[in-house]
Amino acid sequence: MIPLFFATQLLTNSIQFTIEVSVNSFAQKFNVSGQQDFAGVEFPLALVNSKKDALLPEILSKLALHRDELLKQLSTHGAILFRGFPLVTAEDFDQFISAFDLPNFTYSESLSNAVRTNRTEKVFTANEAPASVSIFLHHEMAQTPVYPAKLFFFCEQAANSGGATPLCRSDILLDRLKELDPEFVSLCEGLGVRYSNTMPELDDAESGQGRSWHSTLSAESKEAAEFKLQELGYAWEWLGSGDLRVTSPILPAVKDFANGRKVFFNQLIAAFRGWKDSRNEKSRAITFGDGSEISLKSMTSVIALSDELSFDLPWQAGDVALVDNYLVMHGRRPYEGQRRVLASLVAGR
């Protein structure tokens, strides 16, 4: 009789083997420079098209057939890079997304700070801040009460240099933080955090925080904006310029998702490092939920650890990345030349 532990391990290995063999009918694993390994799990999982002569309809059919297997891999690895597939346009990317048959989370219904432009109903530009601006690590829209479950990115055109998308496993980061600064983690878990920012009256594409309050809140008037903010539990202040300063309700800084993983789920790094423009000062962007200050020493440790644990995704034209927003933070490195990375969001809690 096989002991329970070994039987379980054999079953796990059998499932993994079945998934790999099945997906290998159209994609194969490959190694990408800088790829990380956490207890034998690659981060990210990298898949290259193994059917070079296949047209897009055949690839889409394969994706739909193996969707559940790929989503299991996503839950295990946190992110999947798809390379070498016949994708050129935003419309191709839209079809790739649609093959997964997942619920769309539209940019218009989001509370994202960033200015973006829709290319299709599901596809929009990633943050349009200038090339010289760093977008620091964050979970998408974790500074709001409403956030997506998964993210798709598509490289329509790679930059001449730079422009990588850093990815960081937040569960691994949290485990390391517990060893390094347990008091800070305890405060994050017990108090939560609040975020403050000033939204302009008109879109400001020169800033990573430049989306107007009209667009962010889907509001034509101040009265409609206030109604939306009240529903969401925000505090607000109208400024003489017509801009709107808002403070979020208390939001989690550490979150325990259904898969049992506890995650450093927030926008603290992005807010602390990068929420600065002509309207916003990063020193005023974040506090603990009770209004107390978050220490510079603790945030310095968080930033150093996140940099150490980050994998820089080196884009090639046609690449798609599927990211578990509950598990993985992302950002954007500065770049030179033209760079067009598109995005799409998946709803779900």
Side-chain angles (χ1 to χ4, degrees):
M1 186 173 180
I2 301 174
L4 180 60
F5 170 80
F6 292 106
T8 303
Q9 190 64 42
L10 285 170
L11 178 60
T12 301
N13 291 342
S14 174
I15 292 171
Q16 180 72 13
F17 177 76
T18 301
I19 289 173
E20 289 188 3
V21 168
S22 181
V23 172
N24 277 352
S25 65
F26 73 104
Q28 294 178 334
K29 290 203 296 186
F30 75 102
N31 295 323
V32 61
S33 178
Q35 192 174 21
Q36 299 175 343
D37 184 292
F38 298 115
V41 176
E42 305 102 322
F43 177 68
L45 174 64
L47 299 175
V48 65
N49 180 15
S50 59
K51 301 194 71 174
K52 301 296 185 183
D53 58 345
L55 299 178
L56 185 56
E58 181 181 352
I59 295 298
L60 299 176
S61 176
K62 293 287 187 182
L63 284 172
L65 180 63
H66 299 296
R67 181 198 80 150
D68 290 346
E69 299 161 15
L70 290 165
L71 293 179
K72 286 178 184 176
Q73 295 285 47
L74 178 67
S75 180
T76 298
H77 296 269
I80 304 175
L81 169 63
F82 298 88
R83 177 161 288 173
F85 292 87
L87 304 172
V88 178
T89 67
E91 290 72 23
D92 293 341
F93 178 43
D94 190 300
Q95 291 183 67
F96 188 96
I97 297 162
S98 297
F100 283 82
D101 192 27
L102 296 169
N104 186 34
F105 185 111
T106 67
Y107 169 63
S108 61
E109 70 182 299
S110 77
L111 299 175
S112 170
N113 296 354
V115 177
R116 308 173 192 240
T117 303
N118 271 89
R119 296 281 294 276
T120 74
E121 183 180 355
K122 293 181 180 178
V123 174
F124 47 83
T125 55
N127 197 310
E128 295 185 19
S132 60
V133 173
S134 293
I135 310 293
F136 295 105
L137 287 169
H138 61 284
H139 286 278
E140 188 70 16
M141 301 177 200
Q143 82 282 17
T144 80
V146 185
Y147 43 81
K150 300 173 181 65
L151 320 170
F152 284 95
F153 294 109
F154 169 61
C155 181
E156 190 175 35
Q157 180 178 342
N160 294 347
S161 64
T165 292
L167 302 173
C168 179
R169 281 275 299 263
S170 291
D171 56 338
I172 307 296
L173 174 62
L174 182 62
D175 288 343
R176 295 280 298 275
L177 275 174
K178 286 178 179 177
E179 297 172 2
L180 184 69
D181 194 345
E183 182 180 355
F184 172 68
V185 173
S186 179
L187 288 170
C188 284
E189 290 182 311
L191 298 177
V193 290
R194 301 185 79 182
Y195 305 87
S196 296
N197 73 294
T198 299
M199 296 182 278
E201 185 172 18
L202 302 174
D203 282 347
D204 176 10
E206 293 299 307
S207 167
Q209 309 298 312
R211 191 180 183 193
S212 72
W213 59 262
H214 290 285
S215 176
T216 304
L217 301 172
S218 301
E220 293 294 327
S221 66
K222 290 184 175 182
E223 291 75 19
E226 290 178 359
F227 181 79
K228 181 72 172 285
L229 290 168
Q230 187 170 30
E231 277 192 321
L232 293 168
Y234 278 74
W236 67 87
E237 176 188 3
W238 292 103
L239 305 180
S241 58
D243 296 344
L244 175 61
R245 182 159 182 81
V246 301
T247 299
S248 75
I250 299 173
L251 297 172
V254 173
K255 200 160 177 61
D256 196 352
F257 285 105
N259 59 13
R261 286 171 170 150
K262 191 165 280 192
V263 177
F264 192 64
F265 186 83
N266 53 64
Q267 284 223 6
L268 290 182
I269 295 169
F272 190 85
R273 298 182 82 175
W275 281 18
K276 180 177 175 60
D277 62 13
S278 60
R279 294 168 299 278
N280 291 286
E281 173 53 54
K282 60 186 181 182
S283 63
R284 301 177 60 203
I286 50 172
T287 64
F288 282 120
D290 64 354
S292 60
E293 184 178 354
I294 298 175
S295 82
L296 173 61
K297 180 181 178 181
S298 291
M299 284 307 304
T300 300
S301 297
V302 172
I303 290 166
L305 271 179
S306 66
D307 286 343
E308 177 187 334
L309 292 170
S310 289
F311 161 80
D312 273 12
L313 177 60
W315 289 112
Q316 294 183 13
D319 283 352
V320 171
L322 174 56
V323 178
D324 185 336
N325 189 45
Y326 295 164
L327 187 60
V328 174
M329 290 188 285
H330 69 280
R332 188 198 75 183
R333 304 294 187 197
Y335 62 93
E336 294 181 357
Q338 294 295 316
R339 175 191 187 270
R340 292 197 301 274
V341 173
L342 307 181
S344 185
L345 308 177
V346 175
R349 278 300 184 97

